[in-house]
Amino acid sequence: MPIEPILLIHGGAGDITDARVPGKLEGMKKSLRSAIEHLIPANGGEGSSLDAVEAAVRSMECDENFNAGYGACLNLDGKAEVEASIMEGDKLRAGCVTLIHDIMHPISVARYVMQKTHHTFLGGSAAQKFALDQGFEQMADGSLVTDDARRALQEFKDRQAKGLDTIFARTELDAEKSQDKEPVGESGSTVGAVAIDTKGNIAVATSTGGITGKVSGRIGDTPLLGCGTYADNQIGGVSTTGHGETIMRFNLAQKILAKIQYGNKTAQQATEEACKEMTERLVGTGGAITIDAKGQVGIYWTSKRMAYAYVKSGKIFYGINHNEQFEEEL
C-alpha cells in the first residue's frame, strides 16, 4: 500500500527572538514550496525523498534567516566554518562534511561524498579540496558572513570580556542554577529536513554553521550520524537541532529511533520523550523532527522555540512556539 509522501523541515531550536520569527516562518514555507516538486512531481512521476531533503536544505542555506550556508554563525576568529550530513534509509548510505568554508551548499557537498566516494565523512582541508575538485564554487573569503552574524559574535565577545557566562566556561551546575537554561551562544537556526516518499524511502539532511563564538575546528552534532542525522527505512528518520555538545553526548537521533523500534512508541511520543530526557539529564536544550516508517510525524523541542513546517495532503503546517500550529494551502 503506497505511503502518503511527507516533507518535514526545521529551521532551528533555541532562544529565537520575536524579531526573527517572521523571517524563519517565511523562509521555511519558501523551502517547502521549492522542494515539494522533488517529492510529489506535478507530472505524476515518482518522487525522491533524497532529492526533496537536499532541495529543502539548499533553499534554507541561501536564506540569512537561518544558520546554514549564507548567514552561518562565526567562530572566535570571525570565520564561518560550516558542516552538513545527508542519509538515505534504504541502503543506509550517508555523506558528511565538516570545517569547510566559503561554499554555499555544504549539504550538496555531503551528498557528493555519499555518491562519489567510498567514504562517509570528510573534514577540513580535505573536504574543501574534494568540493572544489567536484566543481563547487570557491566563493570569496567571507561571502557567507552577514551583518547579523558579525553583531552576534561581537556581543559574544563583549560578554566574555565582562566575565559573563559563556558556553565554554559555564558548568552544568551553574546552568542548573540559572533562571534561563539556554546555553549562551546557541544559535537556534540549524536547518534540517526529513522526507518519506510513496515507496517508503526515508531521507534526512541537516546543515549548520554551528554556534557563535566556537573555537576554530569545533565540530557539532550536525555531521555526526546518530546525533544530528539518521535515516533507516525500517524505523524512521530524524534531524536534530539545538546545543550540539548536548545532542552529541546524548546521541539524540538514535535515542528517538530506539524508542520507536524497541519501545513501540509513535514518532511523536519518541521525539518528545527523548528530547525531555536529554535536557533533564544534561541541561542543554534542543529539538528534533521525525518521520517513522509508517509515515507518522514527530515534532518536539525543549528550548524556547523551534521553527518547523511540513507538507501533507496539499497543505503546509507550521509553527515556532510550543502548542501552536498554523496551516495554509501549498
Side-chain angles (χ1 to χ4, degrees):
M1 184 176 180
I3 292 176
E4 180 178 11
I6 301 172
L7 175 57
L8 169 63
I9 66 175
H10 70 72
D15 193 13
I16 300 168
T17 63
D18 292 347
R20 297 186 69 84
V21 169
K24 289 188 181 298
L25 296 181
E26 287 305 310
M28 288 190 303
K29 288 186 281 186
K30 179 181 178 182
S31 169
L32 289 176
R33 291 184 171 116
S34 69
I36 196 62
E37 169 68 17
H38 297 279
L39 188 65
I40 311 174
N43 61 11
E46 293 184 347
S48 165
S49 57
L50 187 62
D51 290 344
V53 295
E54 181 187 11
V57 168
R58 281 177 63 94
S59 176
M60 291 185 283
E61 285 176 336
C62 293
D63 190 332
E64 65 180 305
N65 289 295
F66 303 104
N67 169 28
Y70 181 63
C73 288
L74 305 182
N75 64 21
L76 282 173
D77 297 327
K79 304 293 184 180
E81 291 182 318
V82 296
E83 50 195 7
S85 60
I86 192 167
M87 186 171 185
E88 58 86 19
D90 181 16
K91 298 180 180 179
L92 306 184
R93 296 179 304 156
C96 312
V97 292
T98 191
L99 304 179
I100 59 177
H101 59 89
D102 300 309
I103 291 177
M104 179 65 81
H105 294 298
I107 196 61
S108 294
V109 180
R111 184 168 180 178
Y112 268 56
V113 171
M114 178 178 74
Q115 294 183 328
K116 295 181 178 292
T117 78
H118 298 295
H119 307 300
T120 299
F121 201 153
L122 295 179
S125 59
Q128 191 81 15
K129 182 179 185 300
F130 170 78
L132 300 182
D133 289 346
Q134 296 300 317
F136 287 88
E137 179 186 0
Q138 173 72 69
M139 304 172 70
D141 184 41
S143 295
L144 302 181
V145 178
T146 63
D147 289 340
D148 280 346
R150 291 189 182 93
R151 279 195 293 270
L153 178 60
Q154 188 57 55
E155 289 171 2
F156 178 86
K157 290 182 175 180
D158 289 345
R159 289 182 64 84
Q160 278 193 316
K162 294 176 182 178
L164 299 176
D165 293 341
T166 76
I167 56 173
F168 305 110
R170 188 184 212 179
T171 67
E172 289 168 351
L173 181 60
D174 291 335
E176 288 171 348
K177 294 177 180 177
S178 175
Q179 292 183 352
D180 72 48
K181 292 192 176 183
E182 294 295 331
V184 178
E186 183 175 348
S187 70
S189 301
T190 293
V191 304
V194 185
I196 187 169
D197 58 33
T198 56
K199 291 184 176 181
N201 289 318
I202 296 172
V204 181
T206 314
S207 180
T208 192
I211 49 179
T212 297
K214 62 185 181 180
V215 298
S216 179
R218 178 263 189 186
I219 298 169
D221 65 293
T222 292
L224 303 183
L225 301 181
C227 298
T229 298
Y230 206 81
D232 186 336
N233 285 0
Q234 298 179 19
I235 311 168
V238 179
S239 176
T240 71
T241 174
H243 186 234
E245 278 69 16
T246 299
I247 292 171
M248 281 187 282
R249 291 162 60 199
F250 195 73
N251 209 13
L252 181 57
Q254 280 292 357
K255 285 290 201 308
I256 293 170
L257 294 177
K259 287 179 177 291
I260 294 172
Q261 183 176 19
Y262 303 114
N264 295 316
K265 302 290 186 178
T266 66
Q268 182 60 39
Q269 289 170 336
T271 306
E272 183 171 343
E273 287 181 10
C275 288
K276 286 180 176 178
E277 288 170 5
M278 177 186 73
T279 297
E280 181 178 355
R281 183 167 183 184
L282 297 176
V283 179
T285 63
I289 55 173
T290 305
I291 299 178
D292 68 18
K294 299 176 183 178
Q296 297 177 319
V297 169
I299 303 165
Y300 196 75
W301 62 97
T302 56
S303 51
K304 177 182 178 182
R305 285 171 165 154
M306 183 178 81
Y308 76 90
Y310 64 96
V311 172
K312 184 177 182 181
S313 304
K315 291 186 177 181
I316 294 178
F317 301 86
Y318 63 96
I320 197 166
N321 294 304
H322 285 282
N323 303 314
E324 79 170 10
Q325 185 173 92
F326 305 103
E327 65 177 81
E328 62 184 63
E329 296 297 323
L330 179 60

